Amino acid sequence: MKVAIYSAHKFEKIYLENIFKEAHEVKYIASPLTVETVSLAQGYEAISIFVNDDASAPVLQILSKAGVKFLALRSAGYNHVDIAEAKRLNIKVARVPEYSPYAVAEHTIALMLALNRKLIRAHNRVMEQNFSLDGLVGFDMHGKTVGIIGTGKIGSVVAKIMNGFGCNILAHDKFENTELKNKYDVLYTDCETLCRESDIITLHIPFTPETKYLIDKNSISKMKRGIMLINTSRGALVNTKEVIEALKTGQIGHLGMDVYEEEAALFFEDRSEEILQDDVIARLMTFNNVLITSHQAFLTDTALKNIAETTLRNIECFENGKTCENLLTI
Ligand code: NAI
């Protein structure tokens, strides 16, 4: 089968090449799928895309005319795909529902620790032979209350790690996980109580119309002063401009973000020679208590192997007319 793989970055291509080998006629396209690049899919029955590619209705309509019948997402999240339109056009969509919840959970903890113990500032100082400790005081994680919003695959790994740290754990989810309650002392509560009582809040729910701007000036005002907020889920769960206001007053004491609501125009590319046009992220970059990574929480060897393997399996299921367990059927 002819497969076009969009957003095939260097870090991932080697894994895809290893898995796909000569099994299919694969075209690797470094650019993301957009209205401008969609014509490159002409003549390909299957295409594969990543998290910041644009699979909105207009793009899907062009894909359909180009002969595309299968969309293999190399992500768990699918908020970038108009599923209803894909269904209408009879384009099947499959995702990689789980490739390593550990990768994302561990990056979440890395952000917490780096912010708490001010590792970036400390390292930069040492590199300048400044061995002073002033301004680097952190806090013991042990005994602090961590609020986990979303205890699915990733959130539950975060809960288990936090339990190991000796944290008190509050959780909010539509569904309670009995293993977390019984074995890891996780206490489920409503979002408001979680916001009020946590020292650290970490987000692990999907982005949907319902969860958009879950963190806004209203929810932030209910949090403890100096709260640490971590978002490795999706940018638009957070109203970034309102978060900036809270950082300016000290209401938010630390912010760790792996995702950003306008990331599609920035992340995954070297833009070091460009003039930064995004004033919101530019302001975020001025705070020394904000740590930003460019959507790399998933980026481990294990996760990349799993993504490549599941993507190939999804494509082959479609090719062979087999039932694909990862099809999105909404
Ligand atoms: P999951 O589907 O296993 O868990 C999501 C949890 O959120 C579920 O338990 C669900 O019940 C809960 N939930 C959904 N809507 C809710 C609502 N309105 N209120 C309360 N709870 C709600 O998903 P998983 O694998 O844990 O991933 C979570 C998110 O992490 C993904 O949606 C994705 O956005 C993000 N992600 C980020 C990555 C990164 O590299 N930064 C990589 C992979 C995923």
Side-chain angles (χ1 to χ4, degrees):
M1 178 178 277
K2 286 179 78 180
V3 183
I5 301 186
Y6 280 90
S7 291
H9 296 104
K10 189 174 159 202
F11 67 78
E12 192 190 7
K13 203 174 158 198
I14 179 167
Y15 291 89
L16 294 165
E17 283 173 341
N18 268 340
I19 297 290
F20 276 75
K21 297 206 175 75
E22 274 89 47
H24 296 273
E25 196 185 315
V26 181
K27 175 161 81 174
Y28 293 97
I29 304 165
S31 320
L33 173 66
T34 61
V35 173
E36 287 78 33
T37 62
V38 64
S39 59
L40 298 170
Q42 183 69 43
Y44 286 80
E45 212 177 335
I47 67 156
S48 175
I49 63 170
F50 200 48
V51 280
N52 285 328
D53 293 59
D54 175 5
S56 58
V59 175
L60 290 172
Q61 284 153 15
I62 305 172
L63 284 177
S64 174
K65 286 198 189 117
V68 172
K69 304 228 160 15
F70 191 71
L71 188 53
L73 311 182
R74 303 196 303 290
S75 59
Y78 50 88
N79 52 283
H80 54 311
V81 183
D82 189 328
I83 301 290
E85 185 65 5
K87 195 171 174 188
R88 197 186 67 78
L89 295 165
N90 201 23
I91 298 176
K92 300 266 182 294
V93 185
R95 63 176 180 143
V96 184
E98 174 176 343
Y99 39 86
S100 172
Y102 307 102
V104 184
E106 288 166 15
H107 190 79
T108 302
I109 311 301
L111 289 175
M112 282 181 198
L113 290 175
L115 280 166
N116 173 13
R117 305 308 295 268
K118 301 170 177 57
L119 294 184
I120 310 294
R121 291 181 77 191
H123 174 74
N124 289 340
R125 273 189 200 182
V126 169
M127 289 301 100
E128 292 189 2
Q129 296 183 52
N130 173 357
F131 300 103
S132 139
L133 299 183
D134 294 336
L136 298 184
V137 178
F139 57 85
D140 280 23
M141 300 280 282
H142 180 93
K144 293 291 179 297
T145 300
V146 179
I148 302 175
I149 304 188
T151 53
K153 291 181 282 297
I154 296 168
S156 57
V157 177
V158 171
K160 290 172 187 176
I161 299 173
M162 292 287 87
N163 176 266
F165 272 65
C167 296
N168 306 312
I169 305 165
L170 294 178
H172 174 69
D173 198 296
K174 281 182 172 171
F175 307 98
E176 299 193 355
N177 176 325
T178 23
E179 188 204 7
L180 293 183
K181 285 205 293 188
N182 297 342
K183 281 177 57 184
Y184 296 92
D185 298 329
V186 171
L187 209 67
Y188 279 89
T189 184
D190 56 277
C191 209
E192 197 171 326
T193 311
L194 182 148
C195 285
R196 209 175 43 242
E197 295 186 5
S198 300
D199 300 296
I200 300 171
I201 294 178
T202 180
L203 306 177
H204 302 288
I205 46 169
F207 171 65
T208 62
E210 189 190 358
T211 60
K212 182 170 183 191
Y213 291 166
L214 181 80
I215 305 298
D216 62 1
K217 63 175 181 231
N218 179 40
S219 52
I220 294 168
S221 71
K222 298 188 175 110
M223 295 175 191
K224 282 188 187 174
R225 188 168 169 76
I227 184 84
M228 178 188 284
L229 179 67
I230 308 285
N231 185 8
T232 58
S233 205
R234 282 293 178 268
L237 295 176
V238 168
N239 183 323
T240 317
K241 288 186 180 150
E242 292 179 5
V243 160
I244 289 174
E245 289 312 306
L247 281 161
K248 281 159 74 176
T249 64
Q251 174 64 10
I252 294 181
H254 298 93
L255 172 68
M257 45 186 268
D258 186 52
V259 286
Y260 167 54
E261 50 181 322
E262 301 301 333
E263 69 177 53
L266 291 170
F267 285 9
F268 302 137
E269 302 296 335
D270 178 359
R271 303 192 189 278
S272 55
E273 307 221 353
E274 296 174 13
I275 295 168
L276 183 57
Q277 300 297 322
D278 184 326
D279 293 346
V280 176
I281 200 159
R283 182 65 179 101
L284 280 173
M285 285 156 64
T286 66
F287 294 101
N288 62 16
N289 53 353
V290 173
L291 185 49
I292 307 170
T293 50
S294 56
H295 208 137
Q296 70 168 78
F298 71 97
L299 195 63
T300 67
D301 178 65
T302 309
L304 290 170
K305 271 188 202 143
N306 290 342
I307 290 172
E309 276 168 15
T310 309
T311 301
L312 177 64
R313 208 168 51 244
N314 288 344
I315 289 171
E316 293 191 336
C317 273
F318 170 72
E319 185 182 25
N320 301 324
K322 288 192 191 151
T323 326
C324 174
E325 82 244 26
N326 300 323
L327 268 193
L328 288 167
T329 50
I330 308 154

